[in-house]
Protein backbone atom coordinates (compact mmCIF):
# COMPACT_ATOMS: atom_id res chain seq x y z
CA UNK A 1 0.00 0.00 0.00
CA UNK A 2 1.55 3.32 -1.06
CA UNK A 3 1.63 6.39 1.21
CA UNK A 4 -1.44 8.21 -0.10
CA UNK A 5 -3.64 5.18 -0.92
CA UNK A 6 -5.40 5.36 2.48
CA UNK A 7 -6.10 9.07 1.85
CA UNK A 8 -7.88 8.50 -1.44
CA UNK A 9 -9.74 5.47 -0.10
CA UNK A 10 -10.94 7.36 2.96
CA UNK A 11 -11.93 10.36 0.84
CA UNK A 12 -14.04 8.23 -1.50
CA UNK A 13 -15.70 6.44 1.41
CA UNK A 14 -16.56 9.79 3.04
CA UNK A 15 -17.89 11.24 -0.20
CA UNK A 16 -20.04 8.16 -0.77
CA UNK A 17 -21.42 8.34 2.75
CA UNK A 18 -22.28 12.03 2.66
CA UNK A 19 -23.20 12.85 -0.94
CA UNK A 20 -25.39 11.60 -3.69
CA UNK A 21 -22.24 10.66 -5.58
CA UNK A 22 -22.04 10.08 -9.31
CA UNK A 23 -18.99 9.49 -11.46
CA UNK A 24 -17.45 12.30 -13.49
CA UNK A 25 -16.28 11.24 -16.95
CA UNK A 26 -12.53 10.75 -17.29
CA UNK A 27 -11.13 10.75 -20.83
CA UNK A 28 -9.85 7.19 -21.35
CA UNK A 29 -6.23 8.27 -21.93
CA UNK A 30 -6.14 9.62 -18.38
CA UNK A 31 -7.70 6.86 -16.29
CA UNK A 32 -4.38 5.17 -15.79
CA UNK A 33 -1.01 5.98 -17.29
CA UNK A 34 2.34 4.26 -16.89
CA UNK A 35 5.73 5.85 -17.29
CA UNK A 36 9.33 5.58 -16.14
CA UNK A 37 11.28 8.02 -14.02
CA UNK A 38 15.06 8.28 -13.89
CA UNK A 39 17.86 6.80 -15.93
CA UNK A 40 19.83 3.56 -16.03
CA UNK A 41 19.82 1.55 -12.80
CA UNK A 42 17.75 4.16 -11.02
CA UNK A 43 14.76 3.66 -13.31
CA UNK A 44 11.50 3.44 -11.46
CA UNK A 45 8.05 2.74 -12.92
CA UNK A 46 5.50 5.48 -12.21
CA UNK A 47 1.74 4.94 -12.36
CA UNK A 48 -0.67 7.88 -12.50
CA UNK A 49 -4.34 7.11 -11.88
CA UNK A 50 -7.29 9.49 -11.95
CA UNK A 51 -10.58 9.61 -10.10
CA UNK A 52 -13.63 11.70 -10.98
CA UNK A 53 -16.97 12.24 -9.22
CA UNK A 54 -19.73 14.82 -9.04
CA UNK A 55 -22.81 15.53 -6.93
CA UNK A 56 -25.81 17.87 -6.77
CA UNK A 57 -23.75 20.83 -5.60
CA UNK A 58 -20.26 19.84 -6.73
CA UNK A 59 -19.31 20.16 -10.40
CA UNK A 60 -16.15 18.10 -10.27
CA UNK A 61 -14.43 16.12 -7.55
CA UNK A 62 -11.19 14.82 -8.95
CA UNK A 63 -7.95 13.29 -7.88
CA UNK A 64 -4.64 12.45 -9.49
CA UNK A 65 -2.61 9.78 -7.73
CA UNK A 66 1.02 9.39 -8.77
CA UNK A 67 2.76 6.26 -7.47
CA UNK A 68 6.46 5.93 -8.24
CA UNK A 69 8.21 4.24 -5.35
CA UNK A 70 9.40 5.56 -2.01
CA UNK A 71 10.64 8.90 -3.30
CA UNK A 72 7.79 9.84 -5.63
CA UNK A 73 4.25 9.80 -4.31
CA UNK A 74 1.61 12.45 -5.00
CA UNK A 75 -2.07 12.83 -4.29
CA UNK A 76 -3.60 15.97 -5.75
CA UNK A 77 -7.26 16.21 -4.82
CA UNK A 78 -9.52 19.14 -5.70
CA UNK A 79 -13.26 19.78 -5.45
CA UNK A 80 -14.80 22.36 -7.79
CA UNK A 81 -18.30 23.40 -6.67
CA UNK A 82 -21.05 24.15 -9.16
CA UNK A 83 -21.15 27.75 -10.32
CA UNK A 84 -24.41 28.53 -8.53
CA UNK A 85 -22.91 27.98 -5.05
CA UNK A 86 -20.51 30.29 -3.24
CA UNK A 87 -18.63 27.32 -1.72
CA UNK A 88 -14.82 27.43 -1.57
CA UNK A 89 -12.73 24.84 -3.39
CA UNK A 90 -11.38 21.91 -1.43
CA UNK A 91 -7.71 21.60 -2.33
CA UNK A 92 -5.14 19.09 -1.18
CA UNK A 93 -1.67 18.71 -2.66
CA UNK A 94 0.16 15.89 -0.89
CA UNK A 95 3.61 15.49 -2.37
CA UNK A 96 6.52 13.20 -1.52
CA UNK A 97 9.75 13.77 -3.43
CA UNK A 98 13.35 12.65 -2.81
CA UNK A 99 13.80 15.84 -0.72
CA UNK A 100 10.88 15.11 1.61
CA UNK A 101 7.17 15.72 2.04
CA UNK A 102 5.26 18.83 1.02
CA UNK A 103 1.69 19.11 2.27
CA UNK A 104 -0.95 21.68 1.27
CA UNK A 105 -4.54 21.37 2.51
CA UNK A 106 -7.09 24.15 2.38
CA UNK A 107 -10.58 25.34 1.61
CA UNK A 108 -9.60 27.78 -1.05
CA UNK A 109 -11.82 30.88 -1.04
CA UNK A 110 -13.64 32.41 -3.99
CA UNK A 111 -13.35 35.84 -2.37
CA UNK A 112 -10.30 35.95 -0.14
CA UNK A 113 -10.62 39.67 0.67
CA UNK A 114 -14.29 39.56 1.63
CA UNK A 115 -14.82 39.71 5.42
CA UNK A 116 -18.29 38.18 5.37
CA UNK A 117 -17.01 35.36 3.16
CA UNK A 118 -14.23 34.71 5.68
CA UNK A 119 -16.73 34.75 8.51
CA UNK A 120 -18.81 32.15 6.69
CA UNK A 121 -16.12 29.77 5.45
CA UNK A 122 -12.89 30.39 7.36
CA UNK A 123 -13.68 31.42 10.94
CA UNK A 124 -15.59 28.20 11.67
CA UNK A 125 -12.54 26.10 10.79
CA UNK A 126 -9.85 28.25 12.45
CA UNK A 127 -9.91 26.23 15.71
CA UNK A 128 -9.31 23.04 13.70
CA UNK A 129 -6.46 24.71 11.81
CA UNK A 130 -4.88 26.00 15.02
CA UNK A 131 -5.16 22.54 16.54
CA UNK A 132 -3.01 21.12 13.76
CA UNK A 133 -0.45 23.91 13.67
CA UNK A 134 1.35 22.57 16.73
CA UNK A 135 2.25 19.32 14.97
CA UNK A 136 2.22 20.64 11.41
CA UNK A 137 4.03 24.00 11.46
CA UNK A 138 4.07 26.50 8.59
CA UNK A 139 6.18 25.16 5.71
CA UNK A 140 7.89 28.41 4.77
CA UNK A 141 8.57 29.78 1.29
CA UNK A 142 5.46 29.99 -0.73
CA UNK A 143 4.74 31.59 -4.13
CA UNK A 144 3.45 35.11 -3.41
CA UNK A 145 1.05 35.21 -6.34
CA UNK A 146 -0.64 32.03 -5.02
CA UNK A 147 -1.52 33.68 -1.71
CA UNK A 148 -4.79 35.15 -2.92
CA UNK A 149 -6.06 31.62 -3.58
CA UNK A 150 -5.54 30.39 -0.02
CA UNK A 151 -7.47 30.96 3.19
CA UNK A 152 -6.08 31.87 6.64
CA UNK A 153 -6.73 28.21 7.54
CA UNK A 154 -4.24 27.01 4.92
CA UNK A 155 -2.29 24.05 6.25
CA UNK A 156 1.12 24.23 4.57
CA UNK A 157 3.80 22.08 6.06
CA UNK A 158 6.88 20.02 5.21
CA UNK A 159 7.05 17.07 7.59
CA UNK A 160 10.38 15.29 7.75
CA UNK A 161 8.96 12.06 9.18
CA UNK A 162 6.80 9.80 7.02
CA UNK A 163 5.09 8.70 10.22
CA UNK A 164 3.75 12.26 10.64
CA UNK A 165 2.18 12.03 7.17
CA UNK A 166 0.53 8.72 8.07
CA UNK A 167 -0.88 10.04 11.34
CA UNK A 168 -1.28 13.84 11.72
CA UNK A 169 -1.55 14.70 8.04
CA UNK A 170 -4.03 11.89 7.48
CA UNK A 171 -6.13 13.13 10.39
CA UNK A 172 -6.00 16.71 9.13
CA UNK A 173 -6.97 15.65 5.61
CA UNK A 174 -9.98 13.73 6.95
CA UNK A 175 -11.04 16.59 9.26
CA UNK A 176 -10.78 19.23 6.54
CA UNK A 177 -12.80 17.06 4.17
CA UNK A 178 -15.48 16.42 6.81
CA UNK A 179 -15.69 20.15 7.59
CA UNK A 180 -15.90 20.92 3.88
CA UNK A 181 -18.75 18.49 3.40
CA UNK A 182 -20.61 20.18 6.25
CA UNK A 183 -20.35 23.45 4.34
CA UNK A 184 -21.59 21.66 1.23
CA UNK A 185 -24.56 20.28 3.11
CA UNK A 186 -25.50 23.76 4.34
CA UNK A 187 -24.89 25.59 1.07
CA UNK A 188 -27.85 27.19 -0.61
CA UNK A 189 -28.22 27.95 -4.26
CA UNK A 190 -27.29 31.48 -5.37
CA UNK A 191 -29.65 33.18 -7.80
CA UNK A 192 -28.64 36.84 -7.66
CA UNK A 193 -27.15 37.61 -11.12
CA UNK A 194 -24.41 39.85 -9.70
CA UNK A 195 -23.29 37.20 -7.25
CA UNK A 196 -23.39 34.55 -9.95
CA UNK A 197 -21.19 36.71 -12.17
CA UNK A 198 -18.70 37.18 -9.31
CA UNK A 199 -18.61 33.43 -8.63
CA UNK A 200 -17.98 32.65 -12.29
CA UNK A 201 -15.15 35.15 -12.43
CA UNK A 202 -13.52 33.78 -9.28
CA UNK A 203 -13.88 30.17 -10.41
CA UNK A 204 -12.29 30.95 -13.77
CA UNK A 205 -9.47 32.88 -12.16
CA UNK A 206 -8.67 29.97 -9.85
CA UNK A 207 -8.87 27.28 -12.54
CA UNK A 208 -6.80 29.34 -14.99
CA UNK A 209 -4.17 30.03 -12.34
CA UNK A 210 -3.90 26.38 -11.37
CA UNK A 211 -3.71 25.21 -14.99
CA UNK A 212 -1.09 27.79 -15.87
CA UNK A 213 1.09 27.30 -12.76
CA UNK A 214 0.59 23.60 -12.17
CA UNK A 215 3.73 22.65 -10.20
CA UNK A 216 3.44 19.10 -11.56
CA UNK A 217 3.79 20.18 -15.19
CA UNK A 218 7.54 19.49 -15.26
CA UNK A 219 7.24 16.08 -13.66
CA UNK A 220 4.29 15.01 -15.81
CA UNK A 221 5.97 16.22 -18.99
CA UNK A 222 9.13 14.24 -18.21
CA UNK A 223 7.04 11.15 -17.55
CA UNK A 224 4.41 11.29 -20.25
CA UNK A 225 5.36 13.96 -22.77
CA UNK A 226 4.01 17.43 -23.34
CA UNK A 227 0.99 16.57 -25.49
CA UNK A 228 -0.45 14.16 -22.95
CA UNK A 229 0.37 16.48 -20.05
CA UNK A 230 -1.26 19.61 -21.50
CA UNK A 231 -4.37 17.64 -22.39
CA UNK A 232 -4.45 16.14 -18.88
CA UNK A 233 -4.17 19.60 -17.31
CA UNK A 234 -6.68 21.41 -19.52
CA UNK A 235 -8.98 18.49 -20.35
CA UNK A 236 -9.25 16.93 -16.91
CA UNK A 237 -7.37 18.44 -13.93
CA UNK A 238 -8.50 22.04 -14.50
CA UNK A 239 -11.19 21.68 -17.14
CA UNK A 240 -13.53 24.58 -16.30
CA UNK A 241 -12.74 26.62 -19.43
CA UNK A 242 -13.27 23.58 -21.64
CA UNK A 243 -16.56 22.75 -19.96
CA UNK A 244 -17.79 26.32 -20.29
CA UNK A 245 -16.97 26.48 -23.98
CA UNK A 246 -18.64 23.09 -24.55
CA UNK A 247 -21.77 24.40 -22.85
CA UNK A 248 -22.02 27.60 -24.83
N1 LIG B 1 0.15 19.85 -7.96
C1 LIG B 1 -0.99 20.06 -8.66
C2 LIG B 1 -1.29 18.88 -9.38
C3 LIG B 1 -0.30 17.94 -9.10
C4 LIG B 1 0.61 18.58 -8.19
C5 LIG B 1 -2.47 18.74 -10.27
C6 LIG B 1 -0.87 15.97 -10.44
O1 LIG B 1 -1.64 21.10 -8.65
C7 LIG B 1 1.79 18.03 -7.66
C8 LIG B 1 -0.12 16.58 -9.57
N2 LIG B 1 2.80 19.89 -6.36
C9 LIG B 1 2.88 18.77 -7.14
C10 LIG B 1 4.25 18.42 -7.31
C11 LIG B 1 4.99 19.39 -6.65
C12 LIG B 1 4.07 20.30 -6.07
C13 LIG B 1 4.47 21.46 -5.32
C14 LIG B 1 4.76 17.23 -8.08
C15 LIG B 1 6.48 19.50 -6.52
C16 LIG B 1 7.04 20.27 -7.65
C17 LIG B 1 8.55 20.21 -7.63
O2 LIG B 1 9.16 20.56 -6.59
O3 LIG B 1 9.10 19.81 -8.64
C18 LIG B 1 0.57 23.93 -3.64
N3 LIG B 1 2.32 22.43 -4.57
C19 LIG B 1 3.67 22.44 -4.74
C20 LIG B 1 4.15 23.69 -4.23
C21 LIG B 1 3.07 24.39 -3.80
C22 LIG B 1 1.94 23.57 -4.01
C23 LIG B 1 3.05 25.78 -3.22
C24 LIG B 1 5.58 24.11 -4.22
C25 LIG B 1 5.75 24.74 -5.56
C26 LIG B 1 6.95 25.57 -5.67
O4 LIG B 1 7.87 25.41 -4.85
O5 LIG B 1 6.95 26.35 -6.63
N4 LIG B 1 -1.46 23.47 -4.49
C27 LIG B 1 -0.25 24.04 -4.87
C28 LIG B 1 -0.65 25.40 -5.31
C29 LIG B 1 -2.00 25.50 -5.22
C30 LIG B 1 -2.46 24.29 -4.67
C31 LIG B 1 0.30 26.43 -5.76
C32 LIG B 1 -2.92 26.54 -5.56
C33 LIG B 1 -3.19 27.70 -5.85
O6 LIG B 1 -3.61 24.01 -4.40
Amino acid sequence: MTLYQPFIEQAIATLQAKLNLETYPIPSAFESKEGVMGKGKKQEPVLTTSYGFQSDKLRQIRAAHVQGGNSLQVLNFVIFPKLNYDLPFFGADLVTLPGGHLIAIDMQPLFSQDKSYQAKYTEPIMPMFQGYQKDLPWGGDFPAEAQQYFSPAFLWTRPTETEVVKTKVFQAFCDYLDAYLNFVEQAEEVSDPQKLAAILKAQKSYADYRAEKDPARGMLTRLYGSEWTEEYIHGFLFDLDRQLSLAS
Side-chain angles (χ1 to χ4, degrees):
M1 163 104 58
T2 56
L3 185 56
Y4 297 117
Q5 187 68 30
F7 290 68
I8 185 67
E9 285 178 8
Q10 181 62 38
I12 292 172
T14 303
L15 294 166
Q16 274 168 342
K18 295 203 178 173
L19 300 173
N20 194 352
L21 203 62
E22 289 175 46
T23 58
Y24 185 92
I26 304 175
S28 61
F30 304 140
E31 279 178 4
S32 176
K33 180 78 174 169
E34 287 177 45
V36 179
M37 197 57 120
K39 292 208 165 69
K41 279 192 190 156
K42 289 195 173 161
Q43 280 200 349
E44 185 90 62
V46 180
L47 176 67
T48 297
T49 48
S50 303
Y51 300 82
F53 302 97
Q54 57 189 317
S55 76
D56 322 339
K57 298 178 185 176
L58 303 173
R59 186 187 70 78
Q60 188 202 34
I61 304 163
R62 104 289 179 278
H65 188 195
V66 181
Q67 297 170 89
N70 283 340
S71 54
L72 177 61
Q73 294 291 327
V74 178
L75 181 65
N76 181 268
F77 179 84
V78 182
I79 299 179
F80 299 88
K82 286 193 178 168
L83 301 174
N84 54 345
Y85 290 90
D86 73 355
L87 286 162
F89 307 92
F90 181 86
D93 204 13
L94 314 174
V95 180
T96 299
L97 297 173
H101 309 286
L102 183 161
I103 302 295
I105 304 173
D106 196 14
M107 300 197 201
Q108 304 190 278
L110 288 172
F111 311 113
S112 63
Q113 300 306 317
D114 181 334
K115 286 276 177 279
S116 66
Y117 193 85
Q118 278 194 15
K120 188 172 178 185
Y121 289 125
T122 299
E123 278 166 33
I125 62 165
M126 281 312 276
M128 179 177 74
F129 167 71
Q130 282 152 358
Y132 282 110
Q133 274 219 304
K134 180 169 58 75
D135 295 311
L136 302 171
W138 180 248
D141 275 359
F142 185 75
E145 82 240 19
Q147 270 167 26
Q148 62 175 302
Y149 298 107
F150 290 95
S151 84
F154 177 33
L155 206 55
W156 166 245
T157 189
R158 301 173 188 263
T160 48
E161 304 293 329
T162 300
E163 195 54 30
V164 170
V165 177
K166 292 181 178 171
T167 55
K168 306 289 180 195
V169 173
F170 180 72
Q171 195 60 54
F173 175 80
C174 294
D175 279 357
Y176 270 67
L177 186 59
D178 283 345
Y180 183 79
L181 294 175
N182 286 338
F183 285 141
V184 172
E185 195 182 343
Q186 286 160 30
E188 297 195 18
E189 216 174 318
V190 172
S191 54
D192 175 58
Q194 264 188 317
K195 284 197 187 126
L196 288 169
I199 291 170
L200 175 62
K201 187 165 173 245
Q203 281 246 5
K204 277 177 151 172
S205 165
Y206 176 84
D208 290 351
Y209 176 82
R210 297 277 323 249
E212 194 185 321
K213 302 284 170 159
D214 190 342
R217 180 175 263 111
M219 175 191 81
L220 293 173
T221 302
R222 280 192 295 280
L223 280 168
Y224 306 122
S226 142
E227 198 182 331
W228 185 93
T229 298
E230 294 309 314
E231 195 51 32
Y232 189 47
I233 291 173
H234 294 283
F236 179 63
L237 291 177
F238 305 106
D239 71 353
L240 180 61
D241 279 345
R242 285 278 179 90
Q243 295 301 321
L244 289 171
S245 55
L246 284 175
S248 66

